[in-house]
Amino acid sequence: MTPADLSSTVARAVRRAVEDGELPAGTGVPERVVVERTRPGGVGDYATPVAFQVAKTVGSAPRHVADVLARRLAAEPGLDRVEITGAGFLNFTLAPRGGAGLVAEVLSRGARYGYADDALEAGPFCWAPTAGFRQRAVHEAVVRILRSQGGEGPEEDGGAAPGVAPVARRDGDVVAAYGRDAATWAVLCVPARETPQFGPPLLVQDESSEFFLVRYAHARAKALGRGAARLGFHAEPGEADAPDPVDAPDPADAPGPAPATALLRLLAEYPLVLEAAAHRRAPERLVRFLVALADELLDFQHCVLPQGDEKPSAAHRARLALAEAAGTVLAGGLALLGIDAPDCL
């Protein structure tokens, strides 16, 4: 089970509990359930407060709803454990999933990986001349993310558009000063109600700038593909942490790859990040995710291509596929924010 599957699995458990009479008739069944990564020190891998949401619709105790759902969900394949904490929070530990299938899914879906099955295309935006740059950037990002999850724009689906603090007057025309992409990043990387910060660090061309970091990581993924092509091999999903065959008398002396686990975990979480960003109308959540993914990809990149006299192996092909999948998600996330992802930087 993937983290994205977990959301629909929980919603289905609520619906079936109502149909089978375990929860009262008239219980509100959510179409989607927000599932988020457990905070440090928490129980399990993921958690949801859905029992509180459901309990409100029928005046029941959240703990009772959580008990009913936990019994049903415990039998779901792909879940190792389902636990209840506090007054009714459901906590899930997922069974291990092979990385090859996840990478293949990302590469096959491309920029639409993480989108809901009923995702909508974002149409053209029309603005009054008085609309400020930040208002437009935030609203357009929110609409793109909402539509990736099958929702409409804030006004169209009945939800409230986020209140947007304008760019400070002292910063002047930020598009002219920093370029549209950098200015868009700056206005989206903090919550809409906070005033964005501008300054020379935004345009620094090294990894101290998060804006540069994310686009550079995408460009590195593209460069790895070009390097592999020159060496005569291509990406193929597989076990990215598999050891390399080396001509060493002692296998213990063989160099090992950088761990792929962190990258795979982030790729699996991406659909949940989009869902949470849509639910909370918070593009900054997507920004934070992209920074974390870029960090991991740049750490991982050094083990992708063969070194020295090494010959390309199945492990190299698998690592290249993982790097390309990470680059695909970076490009897709930047597109939702309205920012270009260059192939070379």
Side-chain angles (χ1 to χ4, degrees):
M1 180 179 294
T2 67
D5 295 334
L6 187 54
S7 174
S8 57
T9 299
V10 175
R12 186 170 61 249
V14 176
R15 184 172 61 254
R16 290 181 176 172
V18 174
E19 292 170 354
D20 295 344
E22 290 188 86
L23 292 176
T27 297
V29 180
E31 290 186 11
R32 286 197 176 94
V33 173
V34 174
V35 178
E36 296 183 304
R37 186 78 183 178
T38 304
R39 293 176 180 174
V43 174
D45 300 321
Y46 298 92
T48 179
V50 67
F52 295 86
Q53 178 185 352
V54 172
K56 282 182 181 178
T57 65
V58 287
S60 182
R63 181 75 189 206
H64 168 68
V65 175
D67 285 335
V68 170
L69 297 179
R71 286 195 299 272
R72 284 183 165 270
L73 291 166
E76 287 286 342
L79 287 177
D80 265 358
R81 290 194 308 279
V82 181
E83 301 168 84
I84 303 172
T85 57
F89 291 94
L90 285 167
N91 299 263
F92 309 97
T93 301
L94 301 187
R97 181 194 181 194
L102 173 61
V103 170
E105 180 186 353
V106 175
L107 294 177
S108 67
R109 297 199 64 182
R112 292 181 69 84
Y113 170 67
Y115 283 29
D117 292 339
D118 56 350
L120 304 172
E121 296 295 334
F125 296 97
C126 298
W127 290 99
T130 55
F133 168 71
R134 194 185 189 205
Q135 179 188 0
R136 296 195 301 270
V138 171
H139 180 91
E140 289 176 8
V142 167
V143 169
R144 289 190 202 95
I145 295 169
L146 276 169
R147 291 185 178 177
S148 80
Q149 302 304 298
E152 299 286 351
E155 292 85 2
E156 297 162 304
D157 72 353
V164 180
V167 173
R169 287 186 179 180
R170 65 175 180 273
D171 292 318
D173 185 346
V174 292
V175 175
Y178 299 95
R180 180 167 296 276
D181 283 340
T184 300
W185 178 272
V187 301
L188 295 180
C189 71
V190 296
R193 289 181 173 83
E194 295 181 12
T195 301
Q197 301 298 310
F198 290 88
L202 181 59
L203 296 182
V204 169
Q205 296 294 291
D206 64 37
E207 295 173 29
S208 66
S209 164
E210 292 182 342
F211 170 62
F212 175 86
L213 176 89
V214 171
R215 302 207 311 164
Y216 176 63
H218 171 264
R220 286 300 305 150
K222 291 292 187 180
L224 291 170
R226 295 191 295 269
R230 288 193 294 269
L231 293 174
F233 75 100
H234 61 274
E236 184 177 320
E239 294 305 315
D241 277 338
D244 293 323
V246 293
D247 298 324
D250 183 357
D253 294 333
T261 306
L263 265 184
L264 289 168
R265 176 180 60 80
L266 288 169
L267 291 182
E269 287 181 6
Y270 181 59
L272 284 183
V273 171
L274 291 185
E275 189 169 45
H279 177 72
R280 301 183 185 279
R281 291 162 170 73
E284 70 274 8
R285 286 179 170 244
L286 176 55
V287 169
R288 291 198 298 268
F289 171 85
L290 295 177
V291 171
L293 180 60
D295 263 332
E296 294 296 344
L297 176 55
L298 291 175
D299 284 344
F300 181 75
Q301 64 170 324
H302 305 292
C303 73
V304 173
L305 299 181
Q307 303 294 317
D309 295 331
E310 278 187 290
K311 300 296 183 185
S313 66
H316 290 115
R317 291 192 290 273
R319 292 175 207 153
L320 178 60
L322 177 54
E324 290 186 351
T328 296
V329 169
L330 288 172
L334 286 170
L336 287 173
L337 297 175
I339 296 173
D340 181 48
D343 289 353
C344 299
L345 197 62

